[in-house]
Amino acid sequence: MSADQEHSSQDKQRAAAPGLLRSSGLVGMMTMLSRVLGLVRDMVIARYFGAGTGADAFFVAFKIPNFLRRLFAEGAFSQAFVPVLSSYRETRDITEVRRLVNAVSGTLGLVLLGVTLVAVIGAPALTAVFAPGFLDEPVKFSLASDMLRITFPYLLLISLTAFAGAILNSYDRFAIPAFTPVLLNLAMICAAVFLSPVMETPVLALAWGVFIAGALQLFFQLPFLMRLGLLPRPRVDYRHEGVRRVLKLMAPALFGVSVSQINLLLDTVLASLLQTGSVSWLYYSDRLSELPLGVFGIAIATVILPSLSRKHAAASADQFAATLDWAVRAVLLIGAPAALALALLAEPLIATLFHYGEVTDRDVMMAGASLRAYAAGLLAFMLIKVLAPGFFARQDTRTPVRIGVIAMVANMVFNLALIMPMAHVGLALATSLSAWLNAGLLWRGLKREGAWVSQPGWWRFGAQLLVANGTLAVLVLCLNPSVSEWLAMPGLARAGQMAVLVGAGVVVYFIALALAGVRVRHFRHR
């Protein structure tokens, strides 16, 4: 097939691309599968390792490369690369697109390899920086450093996986990148169940599970790139025009969309200075708050970035603004009841998922308190995910970086103000407060620049949300047993009770929306 024929074929595929609602639903389903398995993974970790020294050490060793993955690969790199790739796809032929892919893959791979080698050699120094509280506990510090040497290459592998996923997303192949994280959860579950019993230090099995998962995720996506005709042939080329554009956009983007991840890492640093268990309590509560964020917020953000980038390249300002407005409404539709449910069911959710093995009643209460604090900022976390692409799609990274710096400084101020009276709960609440500041400034910037224009029907939509969420709150308060009853239930009884409660809540919420006049057709958008 000639280059012209391939380009023509891609134009037809673009015209037949699914709408944003369908694509978001597809990504949401794949992400839901991944997040459910992620909760199973965390339940297995809680059962085998609890919230003690080994668990704290692993969570730090895993969080460092995972944080950098979100910051560089899924944060700055994806937000810089997708708009450039979309521009190439709209305005150039397939040969130029392949040259861009080859140059970016070679350059990115070389940089990541260098960073990985330095980090593996300097693992103790990294551990001291990100968990200074471990310095007073030599066993925990040594264990975290050893595991970091095993887990850090995950950054190299998963960043290349994110690069492959960005290409697939740009060509509207959303399902494969959304499914890929399932492999991480499966690998870690298998490592905990089958590998840890045969290791001298059982918790090290989790670190090896992370390493194996990185390789599995990368190689899983390569056949799909081959099918698109875009399997990279890496070339290191810093002079390539597209590479220069990506690098130029990446630096400020580090603080834009990923500021919430920086704030979460700062929580870990400060939590390491608190009593043993604080890191684990924050981890378990953060994992639960990330379920709706990942399933809905990130799903919507994933599908709108390529769409916004193409609309900007085609100079469709009205469609650009309408797409952003659609994304904000979709986030509020799902995010508001999710935040409400997390706040009202914090301890019951923690008890249902993690109150096994080494996890005590006190651990449930402590993690539940920080989950409620994270729930206060859930909507803000989700709004950041869909508002930031409004800047990155237009290749404006300066505005988000200014906003990111303001939010980071505010987070540190909130941390210092709240850590003494509220301990680990104060750290979670500080993260939520800074997220609201971040989201508010992003919204104001988009509105001021005319990139987001309010579409008709907002007052009615707000009233519909208020009615549906009020109905949901009344239902949960009426049906929810006391925390002491939840703690006294056997595991299966807790799971059954929670399934009934969540199922009833979902049904009642959507019935209330329907009675208030919300219809699926209102959310169809291309």
Side-chain angles (χ1 to χ4, degrees):
M1 183 182 290
S2 68
D4 289 340
Q5 288 174 318
E6 288 186 68
H7 201 55
S8 174
S9 174
Q10 289 170 1
D11 288 338
K12 292 178 183 177
Q13 291 172 356
R14 186 183 303 125
L20 296 183
L21 180 62
R22 180 182 170 189
S23 297
S24 298
L26 181 62
V27 174
M29 285 190 295
M30 293 295 100
T31 308
M32 173 65 84
L33 174 61
S34 171
R35 294 303 170 111
V36 168
L37 278 174
L39 289 175
V40 173
R41 176 195 79 192
D42 291 336
M43 291 168 66
V44 170
I45 292 174
R47 176 180 286 274
Y48 278 75
F49 305 104
T53 296
D56 276 4
F58 169 71
F59 290 142
V60 168
F62 183 40
K63 181 158 281 193
I64 293 172
N66 209 34
F67 159 74
L68 293 173
R69 181 262 301 180
R70 291 177 178 177
L71 188 63
F72 291 100
E74 294 178 0
F77 174 74
S78 291
Q79 299 294 0
F81 176 61
V82 170
V84 173
L85 179 60
S86 297
S87 175
Y88 267 66
R89 184 187 173 196
E90 284 288 328
T91 61
R92 309 195 188 193
D93 61 28
I94 189 64
T95 302
E96 287 298 315
V97 173
R98 285 186 181 129
R99 287 175 181 165
L100 171 68
V101 168
N102 294 340
V104 172
S105 64
T107 306
L108 174 69
L110 182 63
V111 171
L112 289 169
L113 181 61
V115 170
T116 300
L117 290 174
V118 170
V120 169
I121 295 170
L126 273 177
T127 304
V129 169
F130 288 104
F134 287 8
L135 289 170
D136 295 330
E137 301 180 64
V139 174
K140 186 187 290 189
F141 179 82
S142 177
L143 186 57
S145 299
D146 289 342
M147 285 195 285
L148 183 58
R149 288 193 173 97
I150 302 170
T151 60
F152 203 93
Y154 175 74
L155 174 65
L156 167 64
L157 297 166
I158 203 61
S159 296
L160 293 175
T161 301
F163 166 70
I167 298 172
L168 293 169
N169 285 336
S170 295
Y171 281 80
D172 300 315
R173 307 297 197 273
F174 297 110
I176 299 306
F179 175 80
T180 300
V182 168
L183 301 175
L184 169 66
N185 297 320
L186 290 175
M188 291 184 66
I189 291 169
C190 291
V193 175
F194 301 112
L195 186 57
S196 65
V198 300
M199 297 197 69
E200 184 177 349
T201 306
V203 76
L204 284 177
L206 294 177
W208 283 111
V210 170
F211 178 84
I212 293 167
L216 289 174
Q217 291 177 97
L218 174 59
F219 288 109
F220 174 71
Q221 293 196 356
L222 297 184
F224 299 95
L225 288 181
M226 186 181 300
R227 190 176 301 172
L228 275 179
L230 291 173
L231 184 67
R233 296 180 179 179
R235 283 186 64 231
V236 178
D237 186 359
Y238 290 99
R239 297 182 180 181
H240 189 283
E241 183 268 344
V243 172
R244 286 201 300 254
R245 283 170 62 187
V246 171
L247 292 175
K248 182 179 178 181
L249 293 171
M250 270 190 71
L254 291 174
F255 288 99
V257 74
S258 301
V259 66
S260 61
Q261 298 306 319
I262 297 173
N263 291 338
L264 288 173
L265 189 67
L266 292 174
D267 289 352
T268 302
V269 173
L270 293 174
S272 74
L273 303 173
L274 300 174
Q275 60 180 305
T276 294
S278 296
V279 173
S280 298
W281 298 330
L282 284 172
Y283 176 83
Y284 291 132
S285 54
D286 175 45
R287 289 292 299 159
L288 261 176
S289 68
E290 284 205 358
L291 179 61
L293 175 63
V295 172
F296 303 110
I298 295 176
I300 295 170
T302 297
V303 301
I304 67 166
L305 179 58
S307 177
L308 289 173
S309 299
R310 290 195 294 269
K311 287 167 183 173
H312 176 68
S316 301
D318 290 343
Q319 293 183 25
F320 188 100
T323 298
L324 267 181
D325 187 86
W326 172 87
V328 171
R329 293 193 194 207
V331 160
L332 292 177
L333 185 76
I334 301 299
L340 181 64
L342 287 179
L344 295 176
L345 297 172
E347 288 85 4
L349 283 167
I350 295 290
T352 301
L353 295 170
F354 304 121
H355 192 213
Y356 306 97
E358 301 296 323
V359 176
T360 65
D361 288 359
R362 181 171 179 268
D363 291 328
V364 171
M365 301 303 293
M366 291 293 189
S370 52
L371 174 57
R372 192 169 286 109
Y374 279 136
L378 177 63
L379 261 179
F381 296 137
M382 296 177 75
L383 287 170
I384 290 168
K385 292 296 182 184
V386 300
L387 292 175
F391 294 96
F392 293 117
R394 295 180 296 129
Q395 301 185 29
D396 171 13
T397 54
R398 293 185 179 182
T399 304
V401 73
R402 285 200 307 269
I403 293 171
V405 169
I406 293 170
M408 283 185 62
V409 172
N411 182 64
M412 287 307 300
V413 172
F414 293 143
N415 275 336
L416 295 175
L418 297 174
I419 190 172
M420 290 301 293
M422 302 177 70
H424 73 290
V425 179
L427 299 179
L429 183 58
T431 301
S432 293
L433 292 174
S434 65
W436 276 111
L437 176 63
N438 191 5
L441 292 175
L442 287 171
W443 173 80
R444 188 181 71 171
L446 289 169
K447 188 172 177 62
R448 180 184 296 167
E449 295 172 12
W452 181 70
V453 179
S454 177
Q455 306 297 300
W458 263 102
W459 284 106
R460 181 182 179 186
F461 180 64
Q464 292 166 332
L465 282 182
L466 187 62
V467 169
N469 281 281
T471 305
L472 174 63
V474 170
L475 175 77
V476 171
L477 290 173
C478 290
L479 298 183
N480 186 25
S482 67
V483 175
S484 59
E485 290 179 82
W486 280 103
L487 293 173
M489 291 181 194
L492 286 177
R494 282 199 299 264
Q497 180 77 21
M498 183 58 67
V500 170
L501 194 55
V502 170
V506 170
V507 170
V508 166
Y509 177 72
F510 282 104
I511 288 176
L513 282 177
L515 293 175
V518 176
R519 300 291 182 268
V520 173
R521 66 176 181 273
H522 298 158
F523 286 86
R524 289 200 176 101
H525 188 82
R526 296 195 71 84

